[in-house]
Amino acid sequence: MTEPASDPTAEHRLVTATREIAAPAEAVFELIADPAQQPRWDGNDNLAEAPTGQRVTAVGDVFRMILTKGAVRENHVVAFREGRVIAWQPAPEGEEPPGHIWGWALEPHGTGTRVTHTYDWTQLQDQKRQARARATTAENLSASLERLAALAEGDVAERDEA
């Protein structure tokens, strides 16, 4: 989970969670890289929907997401390696990203995949967003991983039964 800082009063601005998922990396990655799938596994219960046809394919892509409270986020892809790494900086519609990053790293592991989910707010300067950033814990990230695992593992089971 999170690494302890050397200063006990220091703020943890990099939050991570890791989980083994019993599904191929490609199947797990597809659920992450297709924004229309993200509300299905969002452990923060913050995502309502995304228009279809926005599958991420490269750094520089921007996908739109509608939040549960109706706001629109434009997510700017800052890291991408097909099947292995994806990260984006969310921003209010028409604005520059304020500096936080949601990221995913996938590593084939045995017959499944080791998935690490990261929330990095080390560069977040917007004071209004910092309280929400502080409230994002490893448990929130783990909730997303649990939901993602249930979907990916269910998809594998369905394919095996067919």
Side-chain angles (χ1 to χ4, degrees):
M1 301 289 169
T2 58
E3 291 292 321
S6 56
D7 174 0
T9 63
E11 193 163 44
H12 298 280
R13 291 178 169 241
L14 181 64
V15 184
T16 64
T18 300
R19 186 191 194 287
E20 302 288 328
I21 297 179
E26 295 75 18
V28 177
F29 193 81
E30 196 59 36
L31 289 166
I32 300 167
D34 180 358
Q37 299 299 316
Q38 293 177 12
R40 297 176 64 201
W41 51 255
D42 172 37
N44 290 315
D45 295 320
N46 191 39
L47 306 178
E49 65 179 306
T52 59
Q54 298 187 90
R55 175 35 164 99
V56 175
T57 60
V59 169
D61 284 355
V62 177
F63 64 90
R64 295 168 46 92
M65 181 68 62
I66 301 167
L67 304 182
T68 54
K69 294 184 179 178
V72 175
R73 289 290 177 267
E74 295 175 339
N75 296 282
H76 302 257
V77 178
V78 296
F80 185 86
R81 194 168 102 222
E82 183 65 43
R84 299 295 180 265
V85 175
I86 187 169
W88 57 82
Q89 290 186 310
E93 189 173 30
E95 296 182 22
E96 289 298 312
H100 51 147
I101 300 172
W102 294 96
W104 298 83
L106 289 74
E107 177 185 340
H109 190 259
T111 59
T113 308
R114 176 176 289 139
V115 182
T116 300
H117 184 17
T118 305
Y119 177 61
D120 179 350
W121 58 289
T122 56
Q123 302 299 312
L124 183 63
Q125 300 301 315
D126 185 344
Q127 297 296 319
K128 296 181 294 186
R129 297 182 187 282
Q130 289 189 1
R132 174 92 184 208
R134 280 185 195 91
T136 302
T137 65
E139 290 75 23
N140 296 109
L141 302 184
S142 291
S144 290
L145 287 169
E146 292 299 318
R147 292 177 181 182
L148 185 64
L151 289 169
E153 291 168 358
D155 289 349
V156 167
E158 285 177 17
R159 277 195 299 274
D160 289 347
E161 290 174 3

